[in-house]
Amino acid sequence: MKKIFLLAIALLSINISSQACDKGCTMGGSYMGILPQFHKNFVGLRYTTRSYTTTATHGHHVQVTNEHFATAELWGRFVPVKNVQVFAFVPYMLNEQTGGHHAIKSRGFGDVTLMANYSLLNTGDRMDRDLKHTLQVGGGVKLATGAYRNQEHGEQLAPNMQPGTGTTDYLANGMYTIRYKQLGLSNDVTYRFNTENSNGYRFGNRLSASSNLFYWQNVKSISLLPSAGVYYEHAEGDRIEGAPNLQKGGDSFFTNLGLSVYVKNIAVGGTVQLPVSSTEAHHHTEGNRRSMVNLTYMF
């Protein structure tokens, strides 16, 4: 029965960079997910997708706009000393917007993010304990490395369609994992403090939190890590020259289904994130299903 359950999870899953926000997301790569083997360095590639459908009514005319955001990202973890982990994220953005008689495409490297976490508690890799805990706290900085003044047909693209934000932003992060034998619960929360760019645009601060139940299963030389959980994000409204942008801001809830497979030093995995509900200020934006696939090498 257990093998049937694991097989079902594997077929259903293809764990995400959860970045739910309205009419275009600019959280950037900072999602950690479930990260076992805390003492190891790794480098990897991951590809995430997210999309939104916005409906606006102008008199008797209804306009529907679809936005699709994909990110191909190089990321890694380095453990310079015991209990310290340093992360780096280098994203390449592929943004697209369609609606009415127009289509906009934007490509380019996004903003690089650097983070560091310190383990206040870490028994996660102890083989002599059934009950294991890991508590990490830290923070980081998102650098203004991506383009944010790209134009199309002589007009500057909307801020959410740009590869970068043009700002240096700051992140605070906490992660707690508890595991009894093969069953565990992973929790994380991230808050991002955004600043204003030289165009006078400031993305609202973002709060994101997730909780995922996972099961560690060894099958011969392969380790399986299926997971399921929930994700929440709150986005404050954006501001233009200090004035509120009423088209931005809201709350979103998602469910997560994921699976990671470990073979020696190689890990492959994926996640699908399904929308549960969302609320937005002054507009109607529907967040669609999101997904992520990743390949990681540990050393």
Side-chain angles (χ1 to χ4, degrees):
M1 184 67 183
K2 183 184 296 183
K3 292 183 178 179
I4 294 176
F5 169 76
L6 292 173
L7 179 60
I9 290 293
L11 293 174
L12 287 171
S13 302
I14 30 171
N15 238 311
I16 181 173
S17 173
S18 316
Q19 296 151 3
C21 46
D22 52 284
K23 204 168 186 291
C25 185
T26 56
M27 281 293 291
S30 59
Y31 178 72
M32 300 298 185
I34 301 171
L35 297 176
Q37 304 189 40
F38 298 96
H39 62 287
K40 287 189 175 182
N41 307 316
F42 71 73
V43 63
L45 293 170
R46 58 184 184 178
Y47 182 79
T48 66
T49 66
R50 56 202 186 276
S51 63
Y52 306 86
T53 301
T54 300
T55 304
T57 303
H58 306 282
H60 297 288
H61 176 67
V62 177
Q63 180 178 341
V64 178
T65 302
N66 295 299
E67 294 179 323
H68 181 81
F69 301 89
T71 304
E73 186 171 54
L74 173 67
W75 73 309
R77 177 180 69 188
F78 176 60
V79 184
V81 295
K82 184 179 180 180
N83 294 326
V84 175
Q85 298 182 355
V86 179
F87 296 87
F89 306 83
V90 183
Y92 185 84
M93 316 299 292
L94 303 98
N95 303 333
E96 184 174 353
Q97 182 187 82
T98 59
H101 302 287
H102 73 279
I104 298 173
K105 292 185 179 181
S106 178
R107 304 285 187 269
F109 282 98
D111 296 335
V112 172
T113 298
L114 302 174
M115 298 186 68
N117 280 351
Y118 180 78
S119 297
L120 298 176
L121 174 66
N122 186 5
T123 62
D125 294 311
R126 291 283 298 271
M127 302 302 294
D128 58 339
R129 295 188 181 185
D130 289 335
L131 182 63
K132 304 177 182 182
H133 302 258
T134 301
L135 175 62
Q136 297 181 326
V137 296
V141 58
K142 185 195 69 61
L143 305 173
T145 57
Y148 65 101
R149 291 178 173 174
N150 287 354
Q151 297 185 357
E152 186 167 293
H153 305 305
E155 295 185 5
Q156 186 162 299
L157 297 178
N160 66 298
M161 294 300 296
Q162 301 284 354
T165 63
T167 61
T168 299
D169 304 325
Y170 306 94
L171 301 97
N173 173 260
M175 295 186 292
Y176 176 70
T177 301
I178 182 170
R179 174 180 164 188
Y180 180 72
K181 294 185 177 179
Q182 295 164 292
L183 185 65
L185 183 68
S186 176
N187 309 278
D188 70 82
V189 60
T190 299
Y191 192 86
R192 185 169 126 184
F193 304 86
N194 292 323
T195 61
E196 184 177 293
N197 64 23
S198 60
N199 294 335
Y201 199 92
R202 179 183 181 274
F203 289 96
N205 295 340
R206 261 66 165 174
L207 170 69
S208 62
S210 67
S211 182
N212 291 283
L213 189 68
F214 65 89
Y215 186 83
W216 186 270
Q217 177 67 48
N218 294 319
V219 181
K220 295 183 178 180
S221 60
I222 298 175
S223 296
L224 302 177
L225 189 69
S227 62
V230 294
Y231 170 81
Y232 164 76
E233 181 173 276
H234 170 74
E236 296 180 4
D238 298 352
R239 305 187 76 86
I240 307 173
E241 299 289 351
N245 180 359
L246 299 182
Q247 296 296 314
K248 305 291 180 179
D251 301 87
S252 297
F253 294 87
F254 287 79
T255 58
N256 300 325
L257 288 174
L259 176 69
S260 293
V261 180
Y262 296 83
V263 182
K264 295 183 178 180
N265 290 335
I266 302 295
V268 294
T271 299
V272 63
Q273 199 171 45
L274 306 175
V276 176
S277 66
S278 63
T279 59
E280 302 86 15
H282 307 285
H283 63 290
H284 178 72
T285 298
E286 179 181 355
N288 304 317
R289 186 181 70 177
R290 296 130 184 230
S291 63
M292 181 182 78
V293 292
N294 62 82
L295 173 65
T296 303
Y297 175 74
M298 293 173 288
F299 58 96

